[in-house]
């Protein structure tokens, strides 16, 4: 199996219609399939371009549909009546598969979210190469010219796994009886489905297949949230009205909302039907083992008319301890280990056991980190965390001025030998680089996007102790008798760096932070205090309240518009927590509680980086074309390069230890498992996976 890195993948010939589908494939007399990416890169093909277009359809000759042998004798309607009126044809990655078998895997919490990603089947999904979106459960979708109306056509004839029709009544039930129902506290209206005044947008259901979203602000971005993961569609929106009404107090007054919440868990409720490839069929008495079986009404077929999925069952065991899961992987117990366990430091051990355990390591699966670790630099540090005895607003203001001065931040970036940190924390695995979002982000597709990424990844990432010290001298941070630099006022200064297990490995964060501490103290004369706050209840309060100086982070994102936080300060966290709080609480309209410090956040100063980035977010939010929205991201990156860095990156894009059974086929060896948002590996349609024998 050929593994591809990002640059190679972007050169693969035969990719069709990249980017966002403004209007998806229309129903055809014969099924349509999207052209798959070619397996081998070619030296002469051009780098792909992100385009606002549908995938190029490949017409498939009228076919005879077939079903899995396990469905024979089950008294089901003919397969052609079960796969919808316009089944989605999936072109197998390697070849048409064979039916049968059970895929074994694991999770660590009851929702089994990492495995839900295998089967997540939203109306709109990510393309397999992560360069954009395409229709799935929805047959088509389009926007009005002003972007205030979004219309989605559901695939006609789709049925729930129990055979009941899937229609807009299911959407209406979710929207009116659950999302907008204050008594249904575990399901709420998604943040992206609100108007300017905070009220929910309007949803209309003109017929059984059409869902219309209407808002007073552009909806160019909102529908793409559906593609990001199980938490956006399968968990909150996939609601079989005919089943859940039996437990809803509105339809049966004898029921309570506790009754409804108890059954509203498709992944562990055998009675809950789905529209995905699988549905729950069995749960062990102790709740530690789930069995998901094939959906006999699934609406995907392969190019020969075989109804997917190929594999009959998925078995999941819930094991909280990661070391126990890693041992199980090493023994060959699982057939696929996407997000099951292990870090880059475990790769040699996994490789050593591969042949004996009967699995292969996928080399093209990366973490997708733009920085792991990276050190966020708080841009509005305030008092409150008691890092100093004189934890006063005046003292905090002087520290804040230093943290906000780009000369200080650039000095930190120039003053660290990244390769040395990588050798200590990652055993040499990882690329020395500045902090970015994920290298695999669709914002970086095409020559222009790649140029932006390379510029950002190299910005202030050189190791230059002389230049760093010159910048600190210019700031007036003189060295005292102890050899450490003071604040410009002459007060002693200790840079507090807090760490946790962000990214999944506390050891890596601690080891890297201690090495960075040693280097900054030796190279720059800056005294550093590393504080391990893993498990401390005030960690988020310190971060979101602007009371931290530096914090170790894991930074990754494929589509920044559906998770703006790493570039645009519009929420109460990360590098601009208080400026983001001001934006998210209504800006100047916020009415502060005088008893809560910084209750409305802090309004960015005119011309400040925070103001520039917030203005660019508003520009991008209102921008119609995907190409132009990419350009707005590039503008924001230019601001970060010029005014930053706001995160001191160390390394990124480490390979991850993802393994599969040697006999498992049609698995694309390319993807990311750091950011969950692109719904990997579900974007690659695991329903086409099969066992060779």
């Amino acid at each position: 199996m050929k593994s591809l890195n990002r640059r190679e993948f972007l050169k693969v010939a035969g990719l069709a219609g990249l980017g966002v589908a403004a209007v998806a494939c229309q129903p055809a007399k014969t099924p349509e399939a999207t052209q798959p990416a070619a397996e081998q890169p070619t030296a002469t093909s051009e780098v792909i371009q992100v385009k606002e277009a549908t995938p190029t359809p490949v017409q498939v000759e009228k076919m005879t549909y077939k079903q899995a042998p396990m469905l024979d004798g089950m008294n089901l309607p003919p397969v052609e009546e079960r796969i919808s009126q316009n089944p989605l044809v999936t072109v197998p990655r390697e070849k048409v598969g064979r039916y049968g078998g059970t895929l074994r895997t694991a999770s660590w919490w009851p929702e089994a979210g990492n495995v839900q990603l295998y089967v997540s089947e939203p109306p709109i999904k990510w393309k397999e190469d992560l360069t954009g979106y395409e229709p799935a459960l929805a047959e088509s979708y389009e926007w009005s010219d002003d972007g205030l109306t979004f219309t989605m056509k559901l695939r006609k004839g789709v049925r729930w796994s129990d055979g009941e029709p899937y229609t807009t009544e299911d959407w209406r039930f979710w929207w009116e009886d659950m999302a907008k129902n204050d008594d249904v506290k575990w399901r709420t209206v998604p943040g992206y489905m609100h108007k300017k005044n905070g009220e929910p947008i309007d949803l209309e259901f003109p017929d059984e297949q059409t869902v219309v979203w209407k808002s007073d602000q552009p909806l160019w971005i909102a529908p793409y949230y559906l593609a990001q993961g199980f938490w956006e569609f399968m968990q909150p929106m996939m609601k079989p009205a005919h089943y859940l009404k039996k437990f809803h107090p509105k339809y049966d007054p004898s029921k309570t909302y506790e009754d409804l919440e108890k059954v509203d868990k498709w992944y562990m409720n055998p009675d809950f039907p789905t529209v995905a490839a699988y549905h729950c069929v069995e749960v062990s008495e102790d709740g530690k083992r789930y069995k998901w079986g094939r959906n006999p009404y699934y609406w995907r077929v392969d190019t020969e008319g075989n109804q997917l999925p190929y594999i009959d069952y998925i078995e999941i065991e819930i094991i909280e301890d990661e070391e126990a899961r890693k041992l199980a992987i090493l023994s060959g117990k699982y057939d696929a280990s996407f997000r099951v366990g292990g870090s880059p430091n475990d790769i040699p051990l996994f490789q050593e056991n591969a042949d004996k355990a009967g699995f292969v390591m996928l080399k093209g699966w990366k973490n997708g980190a733009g920085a792991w670790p990276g050190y966020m630099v708080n841009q509005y540090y305030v008092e409150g965390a008691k890092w100093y005895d004189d934890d006063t607003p005046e003292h905090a203001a002087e520290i804040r001025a230093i943290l906000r001065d780009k000369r200080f931040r650039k000095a930190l970036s120039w003053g660290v030998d990244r390769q040395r940190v990588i050798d200590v924390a990652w055993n040499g695995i990882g690329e020395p680089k500045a902090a970015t979002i994920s290298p695999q982000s669709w914002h970086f597709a095409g020559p222009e996007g790649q140029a932006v990424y390379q510029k950002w990844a190299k910005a202030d990432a050189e190791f230059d102790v002389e230049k760093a010290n010159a910048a600190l001298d210019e700031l007036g941070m003189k060295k005292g008798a102890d050899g450490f630099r003071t604040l410009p006022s002459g007060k002693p200064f200790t840079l507090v760096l807090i760490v946790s297990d962000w990214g999944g490995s506390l050891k890596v964060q601690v080891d890297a932070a201690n090495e960075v501490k040693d280097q900054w103290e030796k190279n720059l004369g800056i005294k550093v205090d590393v504080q391990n706050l893993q498990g401390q209840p005030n960690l988020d309060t310190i971060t979101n309240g602007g009371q931290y100086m530096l914090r170790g982070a894991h930074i990754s994102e494929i589509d920044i518009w559906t998770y703006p936080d790493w570039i645009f300060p519009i929420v109460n966290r990360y590098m601009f927590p208080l400026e983001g709080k001001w934006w998210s609480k209504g800006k100047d309209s916020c009415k502060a509680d005088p008893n809560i410090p910084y209750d409305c956040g802090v309004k960015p100063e005119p011309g400040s980086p925070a103001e520039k980035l917030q203005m660019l977010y508003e520009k991008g939010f209102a921008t119609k074309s995907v190409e132009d929205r990419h350009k707005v991201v590039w503008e924001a990156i230019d601001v970060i390069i010029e005014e930053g860095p706001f995160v001191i990156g160390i390394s990124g894009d480490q390979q991850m230890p993802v393994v599969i059974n040697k006999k498992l086929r049609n698995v694309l060896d390319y993807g990311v498992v750091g950011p969950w948002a692109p719904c990997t590996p579900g974007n690659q349609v695991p329903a086409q996976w099969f066992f060779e024998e």
Side-chain angles (χ1 to χ4, degrees):
M1 183 180 295
K2 172 69 175 178
S3 65
L4 307 178
N5 61 34
R6 173 66 173 176
R7 189 167 300 173
E8 288 171 333
F9 203 100
L10 296 181
K11 293 179 180 178
V12 173
L15 286 172
L18 306 168
V20 178
V23 183
C25 303
Q26 298 297 325
K29 292 182 179 179
T30 55
E32 296 181 349
T34 56
Q35 180 68 34
E39 282 287 344
Q40 300 291 336
T42 62
T44 58
S45 62
E46 296 181 359
V47 176
I48 64 170
Q49 297 285 344
V50 174
K51 300 176 182 177
E52 193 159 2
T54 60
T56 302
V58 177
Q59 293 295 334
V60 180
E61 294 298 325
K62 191 175 175 84
M63 57 181 70
T64 300
Y65 297 112
K66 298 172 280 294
Q67 67 179 18
M70 72 168 281
L71 300 179
D72 295 344
M74 291 181 64
N75 244 357
L76 293 166
V79 63
E80 58 267 19
E81 296 178 12
R82 303 199 312 266
I83 55 176
S84 85
Q85 293 182 24
N86 186 33
L88 186 57
V89 177
T90 298
V91 180
R93 167 135 296 278
E94 298 173 33
K95 59 183 178 180
V96 170
R98 60 186 296 275
Y99 284 122
T102 298
L103 183 83
R104 303 162 301 162
T105 189
S107 190
W108 59 93
W109 88 107
E111 288 188 0
N114 61 313
V115 190
Q116 285 197 51
L117 292 178
Y118 292 22
V119 302
S120 184
E121 197 72 82
I124 301 169
K125 66 177 284 291
W126 273 99
K127 288 172 173 286
E128 65 175 14
D129 63 354
L130 302 177
T131 60
Y133 301 94
E134 62 187 10
L137 183 58
E139 201 166 71
S140 67
Y141 49 90
E142 62 183 353
W143 289 260
S144 60
D145 289 340
D146 59 8
L148 302 182
T149 300
F150 172 74
T151 302
M152 178 169 61
K153 292 283 188 181
L154 303 181
R155 195 167 292 278
K156 193 171 185 179
V158 169
R159 292 180 178 273
W160 292 95
S161 54
D162 62 1
E164 291 295 317
Y166 174 67
T167 70
T168 52
E169 170 58 18
D170 299 300
W171 278 76
R172 187 211 60 76
F173 173 80
W174 160 70
W175 182 246
E176 296 178 4
D177 297 331
M178 297 195 74
K180 293 172 64 178
N181 185 339
D182 292 338
D183 292 318
V184 182
K185 301 187 185 306
W186 65 98
R187 301 284 179 232
T188 58
V189 175
Y192 55 87
M193 297 183 78
H194 286 86
K195 298 179 181 178
K196 291 178 182 178
N197 64 3
E199 293 296 314
I201 64 173
D202 299 315
L203 256 61
E204 298 176 357
F205 314 99
D207 58 49
E208 290 190 342
Q209 270 69 52
T210 307
V211 182
V212 181
W213 303 14
K214 290 186 176 180
S215 182
D216 59 355
Q217 56 183 341
L219 293 167
W220 304 120
I221 297 166
Y224 297 138
Y225 280 88
L226 298 174
Q228 305 310 319
F230 67 89
W231 58 90
E232 299 290 5
F233 177 72
M234 285 196 74
Q235 286 274 65
M237 296 184 185
M238 186 183 70
K239 301 303 167 195
H242 68 282
Y243 171 69
L244 291 177
K245 283 180 180 179
K246 300 173 186 176
F247 306 92
H248 198 299
K250 175 181 174 180
Y251 299 93
D252 184 346
S254 70
K255 301 298 184 181
T256 67
Y257 284 102
E258 288 75 19
D259 295 328
L260 180 61
E261 183 177 11
K262 185 177 180 180
V263 299
D264 187 24
K265 299 173 182 177
W266 80 263
Y267 48 89
M268 61 188 304
N269 178 359
D271 295 326
F272 193 119
T274 77
V275 288
Y278 295 89
H279 64 110
C280 181
V281 297
E282 185 179 315
V283 178
S284 63
E285 289 187 9
D286 61 3
K288 297 295 185 180
R289 293 180 181 275
Y290 305 161
K291 188 174 187 178
W292 298 348
R294 71 167 58 252
N295 172 3
Y297 292 86
Y298 190 47
W299 38 271
R300 283 185 184 268
V301 298
D302 67 20
T303 49
E304 293 185 1
N306 298 299
Q307 184 190 30
L308 298 177
Y310 292 131
I311 294 174
D312 291 333
Y313 297 102
I314 297 177
E315 286 187 353
I316 308 153
E317 62 177 356
I318 310 298
I319 303 179
E320 294 181 7
D321 182 66
E322 184 181 8
E323 289 303 313
R325 295 196 306 274
K326 283 162 56 176
L327 289 173
I329 295 171
L330 290 169
S331 71
K333 187 175 185 180
Y334 304 137
D335 300 306
S337 74
F338 296 94
R339 296 186 179 87
V340 171
S343 79
N345 286 332
D346 296 311
I347 288 175
L349 181 61
F350 278 50
Q351 290 175 327
E352 183 180 325
N353 282 269
D355 286 341
K356 180 174 62 177
F359 62 75
V360 294
M361 176 84 68
L362 297 179
K363 298 179 180 178
W365 281 81
K366 301 295 186 73
N367 182 273
W372 190 19
Y375 301 108
M376 304 186 301
V377 186
N378 181 8
Q379 290 305 285
Y380 208 94
Y381 173 73
V382 298
E383 70 285 352
K386 306 297 183 183
W387 303 122
Y388 291 86
D389 290 336
D390 56 336
D391 187 30
T392 62
E394 294 75 21
H395 194 185
E398 187 174 10
I399 295 173
R400 177 166 67 244
I402 290 296
L403 297 178
R404 296 184 71 183
D405 195 307
K406 66 181 179 182
R407 292 172 295 179
F408 179 76
R409 299 192 303 274
K410 289 182 186 296
L412 294 181
S413 187
W414 296 328
V416 61
D417 180 348
R418 289 168 169 79
Q419 187 58 57
R420 170 64 184 163
V421 182
I422 292 170
D423 290 343
V424 169
W426 285 122
N427 295 318
I429 299 172
E431 172 192 354
K433 64 187 290 293
T436 66
I437 58 173
S438 300
Q440 296 82 6
S441 169
W442 74 318
H443 305 303
F444 304 138
E448 288 183 274
Q450 281 293 294
V452 170
Y453 170 74
Q454 293 298 332
K455 180 181 178 183
W456 193 10
K458 294 175 182 177
D460 299 309
E462 66 270 26
F463 181 41
D464 193 330
V465 173
E466 183 178 350
K467 185 162 62 170
N469 279 292
L472 296 173
D473 292 342
E474 187 178 313
L475 271 169
M477 299 184 71
K478 299 179 181 179
K479 290 185 178 180
D482 60 0
F484 291 116
R485 292 184 182 273
T486 66
L487 293 171
S489 66
K491 287 184 178 180
F493 174 59
T494 299
L495 183 65
V496 180
L497 167 56
I498 62 176
V499 296
S500 63
D501 66 351
W502 199 340
S505 175
L506 179 61
K507 183 177 186 303
V508 165
Q509 289 283 4
V510 170
D511 290 351
N514 285 329
E515 175 61 28
V516 168
K517 163 188 164 73
D518 291 346
Q519 290 196 36
W520 280 342
E521 290 186 343
K522 175 184 176 182
N523 298 337
L524 307 180
I526 295 176
K527 188 175 182 181
V528 179
D529 178 18
V530 175
Q531 292 274 342
N532 179 0
L533 298 189
Q534 175 64 25
Q536 296 301 308
N538 63 343
L539 176 59
D540 287 340
T541 300
I542 288 172
T543 304
N544 300 341
Q547 298 169 2
Y548 80 97
M549 296 182 201
L550 269 67
R551 181 177 174 184
H554 172 280
I555 299 167
S556 62
E557 200 57 43
I558 302 297
D559 185 352
I560 204 67
W561 293 114
T562 59
Y563 194 88
D565 311 27
W566 288 121
I567 288 183
F568 301 108
I570 64 167
V571 290
N572 178 208
R573 56 176 171 250
Y574 299 166
M575 302 82 70
F576 299 87
L578 296 184
E579 293 96 329
K581 186 176 186 179
W582 172 82
W583 198 96
S584 66
K585 295 197 72 172
K587 306 177 185 176
D588 290 334
S589 68
C590 178
K591 305 299 181 184
D593 182 335
N595 298 313
I596 302 177
Y598 306 100
D599 184 40
C600 286
V602 175
K603 182 178 182 178
E605 298 172 0
S608 67
E611 184 192 57
K612 292 177 182 177
L613 292 171
Q614 287 177 354
M615 290 175 66
L616 284 170
Y617 176 78
E618 292 177 353
K619 176 182 176 181
F621 186 82
T623 297
K624 180 177 182 178
S625 80
V626 65
E627 296 94 337
D628 288 340
R629 285 200 297 275
H630 287 318
K631 290 176 182 177
V632 175
V633 173
W634 301 345
E635 285 184 65
I637 290 171
D638 282 340
V639 171
I640 293 170
I641 292 173
E642 174 61 29
E643 303 287 352
F646 302 112
V647 180
I648 312 302
I650 300 297
S651 65
D653 213 26
Q654 294 87 349
Q655 182 182 346
M656 292 296 286
V658 176
V659 307
I660 61 171
N661 187 311
K662 284 183 177 180
K663 298 177 182 179
L664 192 62
R665 294 289 181 267
N666 282 349
V667 182
L668 175 61
D669 192 1
Y670 175 79
V672 296
V673 290
W676 285 47
C679 200
T680 50
N683 68 307
Q684 299 176 7
V685 192
Q688 67 170 301
W689 295 352
F690 73 97
F691 291 104
E692 189 72 73
E693 56 183 72

